[in-house]
Amino acid sequence: MKVGKILILSIFILQPWFLKGLIRPELLLCLFFVLYSVCLKKIAIPLNELLIILFSFIILLIPPLIHDTGELDLVKKFISLLVVIIGSYYIVAALKISKQDLMSAIKFCVCFSLIFYLASTQVELLRNIALSFKGETYGIEDKLEVYRLWFPTSAHTFHLGLFFFLTTSLLLVEKESFIYILMSLACASISARSAMLMSICICLIFVLIKDRKYLFMVIIAIPVFYYAMTILANEYVSVKYALEPLEQLIHSGTLQSKSSDELLQKHLYIPAVNSILFGDGMYSNPDGSFYGHSDSGIIRPILYGGIIFQIGYLVFIYRFLSTLKQFHFLGAVVIISFFIANVKAEIITATPYFTLLVLLFYTTKNTNSSVRV
């Protein structure tokens, strides 16, 4: 039963999409466990979360109605979030998932992801399988950072990096084995440069203020990164690309990179006053590109619904991030890190890190807010 729980949780978290998203395991698992609960007549409703979702759904429809744009992309995104929230609730309830079960699933996800990735670097078939798990890749498979797509999940790059940042943080606060933390740190470093920096920072903070026995981990990590920067970076262009922020920090004292320059030059700007106040009712352009040419989590929601909508957006994020408060100071650091990451790109997406947050939310949540029917 323990193994079954871990496998179900891992598939639900990693969300490998089959046939380019035509078959989505998280949706199938959600439907299965809802029906399972109905058949056992043990169905309950996560009342508070459903009320928040219902209220959010109504708010989402207002901007396109006011501006008569017919925009539905953000509505579709919230439907995906609803699947994750409902699915998480019924999986936790039906299988009686404990925090220990969830931590076991996290360790399995990290180990399996890294092993699969390392194997993919050598076996083209596995790379093709990894690519088949993805939905939209935005042409990355033809770019230098294609290596980021070789994990066994539908998520990639920035959002996958946030997942491994979260797993690194949870493994630290739960004081799991060094090997799992190092593996998670490696996955974070591969999947996104921002996640690499965030994960290194959380490790250093944990070592300095919480538990210095983990200094051993830092002692191991430093020569590994040094080797990667001085030898592998000269031999492999992709390694040099991945470690660009650290290289810049050492040589120039800044964290400047091509992506950070692009963020400041193109994605962060002050919208028109009318857009700030009321939004434009647009989330995506007709060709599917980002409306306003920005995917920043502090610009895109404003362009959609204005400053009031942006405030509601941040409250929604905090609703699930607040479960990290149980980890006190380190939890607060992780919450702040996610809000900082939101400046770079939207973090409300039904990807592995959000799924993990919701599962953690329900494994620790008081069930008094549920109503049995």
Side-chain angles (χ1 to χ4, degrees), residues 277-292:
L277 293 177
F278 308 109
D280 297 332
M282 290 291 293
Y283 188 72
S284 302
N285 293 315
D287 63 358
S289 61
F290 303 129
Y291 177 72

Side-chain angles (χ1 to χ4, degrees), residues 6-185:
I6 292 173
L7 288 176
I8 290 171
L9 286 171
S10 299
I11 293 172
F12 189 69
I13 291 170
L14 291 176
Q15 302 174 15
W17 292 354
F18 301 103
L19 302 178
K20 292 290 185 177
L22 187 63
I23 300 176
R24 300 177 63 164
E26 72 274 18
L27 176 59
L28 296 177
L29 285 171
C30 175
L31 292 173
F32 174 81
F33 281 100
V34 169
L35 292 174
Y36 175 79
S37 299
V38 170
C39 291
L40 293 181
K41 297 182 179 180
K42 292 183 178 179
I43 187 168
I45 301 173
L47 185 59
N48 289 347
E49 285 68 52
L50 282 184
L51 288 175
I52 290 172
I53 287 288
L54 179 61
F55 179 73
S56 300
F57 193 77
I58 294 171
I59 297 299
L60 281 177
L61 295 175
I62 294 176
L65 287 175
I66 291 177
H67 296 280
D68 193 25
T69 60
E71 173 65 70
L72 291 175
D73 280 359
L74 191 55
V75 174
K76 294 175 184 176
K77 177 182 281 191
F78 263 73
I79 292 174
S80 297
L81 294 175
L82 180 61
V83 169
V84 168
I85 293 170
I86 297 298
S88 297
Y89 177 82
Y90 286 108
I91 288 174
V92 170
L95 298 181
K96 296 180 172 59
I97 301 296
S98 65
K99 187 186 288 187
Q100 184 179 7
D101 294 327
L102 187 58
M103 292 306 300
S104 296
I106 289 172
K107 289 185 282 188
F108 177 81
C109 287
V110 168
C111 293
F112 178 69
S113 295
L114 185 58
I115 292 170
F116 187 97
Y117 174 83
L118 293 175
S120 295
T121 62
Q122 304 300 318
V123 182
E124 185 178 1
L125 175 62
L126 292 179
R127 292 199 291 272
N128 292 333
I129 291 174
L131 290 174
S132 72
F133 287 159
K134 307 294 185 288
E136 178 60 64
T137 59
Y138 306 103
I140 295 175
E141 63 269 27
D142 299 320
K143 296 181 179 179
L144 181 62
E145 59 265 40
V146 62
Y147 65 90
R148 296 178 175 183
L149 302 178
W150 298 343
F151 286 99
T153 168
S154 57
H156 54 82
T157 56
F158 177 73
H159 292 105
L160 183 59
L162 289 181
F163 169 68
F164 288 121
F165 165 66
L166 183 58
T167 60
T168 302
S169 303
L170 292 175
L171 290 168
L172 276 170
V173 296
E174 293 294 333
K175 297 185 178 181
E176 295 290 349
S177 171
F178 293 116
I179 186 63
Y180 293 118
I181 298 170
L182 287 171
M183 292 175 76
S184 183
L185 181 59

Side-chain angles (χ1 to χ4, degrees), residues 173 209-210 322-335:
V173 296
I209 71 168
K210 195 72 177 176
S322 63
T323 190
L324 298 172
K325 290 192 299 183
Q326 62 184 292
F327 303 118
H328 308 296
F329 178 76
L330 263 296
V333 172
V334 176
I335 291 172

Side-chain angles (χ1 to χ4, degrees), residues 224-245:
V224 170
F225 277 103
Y226 178 79
Y227 171 76
M229 291 179 63
T230 57
I231 299 177
L232 293 181
N234 291 327
E235 186 173 349
Y236 301 101
V237 179
S238 58
V239 176
K240 186 177 181 65
Y241 174 85
L243 297 174
E244 182 186 1

